[in-house]
Amino acid sequence: MAEASHLLHLSVAEQGKVYLLEGRHAEALRHFREAIRIAVSAKAPEVFFRHYTQCVLESLELSGDYEEIIAFCHEADAHYLRLDSAEPIVAKDHGATLERLGVALLLSERRDEAAEALKRAVERAGPGQLPLAEALSSWLVRGLGVPPTVLRQAQQRHHYFVVRKETVERRFARPLPRGGGASPAASLLR
């Protein structure tokens, strides 16, 4: 049964990725949130939860819902600060969360807050770990503008998005029934 749940959350998440690439964010979010719910209930390794959470955040970003990303990232930042862990994977995850926060703040035209979040991201993850955060932080410190088109080009160049055409396994994708899945109470992100 656990293996069936494992395959189910993977398949549902892959379908969410297909929808994300098609720009169908409401469906993508519904699938990612259901994949999170299934993974958590199946006690799947935490890496799945983290990956699906990144997928949710990407879909929110691409659909322009920056405030939800900002709220989530502030909560996640507080969580990481309470952990006070020196583990490299925790430092990188925390840094990636701060990078995502910085991007959402930048897209929300909150430049000073974005600069602070990106600076913290680089410090937390360490040199060379978050090339987008490093580039954006450098640009902001030098007073350069970062229009959305330039930001998107930098995101693509630095492989900021986890969901890319070449990373999606369409053959494993499985759509949820219409109107089903994604209980709001079961999801961390809505």
Side-chain angles (χ1 to χ4, degrees):
M1 179 67 171
E3 188 169 321
S5 292
H6 181 69
L7 293 175
L8 181 58
H9 70 78
L10 285 171
S11 297
V12 170
E14 286 306 306
Q15 185 64 49
K17 293 174 185 180
V18 169
Y19 287 138
L20 185 149
L21 292 174
E22 292 173 352
R24 297 172 59 191
H25 296 290
E27 278 300 308
L29 289 167
R30 186 168 76 92
H31 281 72
F32 294 142
R33 289 173 173 147
E34 184 63 9
I36 289 171
R37 188 194 66 73
I38 295 166
V40 169
S41 69
K43 295 182 176 40
E46 186 180 341
V47 67
F48 291 106
F49 174 80
R50 288 197 324 260
H51 177 68
Y52 301 156
T53 299
Q54 288 301 315
C55 293
V56 168
L57 293 170
E58 283 185 16
S59 194
L60 290 170
E61 181 178 322
L62 292 169
S63 66
D65 194 348
Y66 310 131
E67 290 308 313
E68 187 168 350
I69 297 167
I70 292 167
F72 171 81
C73 289
H74 279 305
E75 288 179 27
D77 181 31
H79 168 75
Y80 283 116
L81 291 172
R82 283 189 304 273
L83 281 180
D84 192 29
S85 172
E87 291 293 320
I89 187 71
V90 173
K92 187 168 184 187
D93 281 351
H94 188 186
T97 298
L98 292 167
E99 176 183 56
R100 179 96 41 199
L101 172 62
V103 168
L105 289 165
L106 193 57
L107 288 166
S108 296
E109 299 179 6
R110 294 160 62 179
R111 186 183 169 95
D112 292 342
E113 291 173 79
E116 179 59 29
L118 292 164
K119 177 182 174 223
R120 287 184 59 221
V122 172
E123 289 170 353
R124 183 66 172 121
Q129 295 298 309
L130 300 171
L132 177 66
E134 289 178 7
L136 294 175
S137 186
S138 172
W139 296 346
L140 292 173
V141 165
R142 294 188 323 227
L144 300 175
V146 187
T149 53
V150 170
L151 174 59
R152 185 56 46 90
Q153 290 168 350
Q155 287 172 316
Q156 290 169 345
R157 185 172 49 257
H158 294 294
H159 300 287
Y160 168 81
F161 294 110
V162 221
V163 181
R164 300 185 303 274
K165 186 178 177 181
E166 68 271 14
T167 65
V168 176
E169 294 287 343
R170 288 179 183 264
R171 69 180 188 262
F172 297 125
R174 177 179 173 188
L176 292 170
R178 287 260 169 234
S183 157
S187 172
L188 173 67
L189 298 174
R190 180 89 61 206

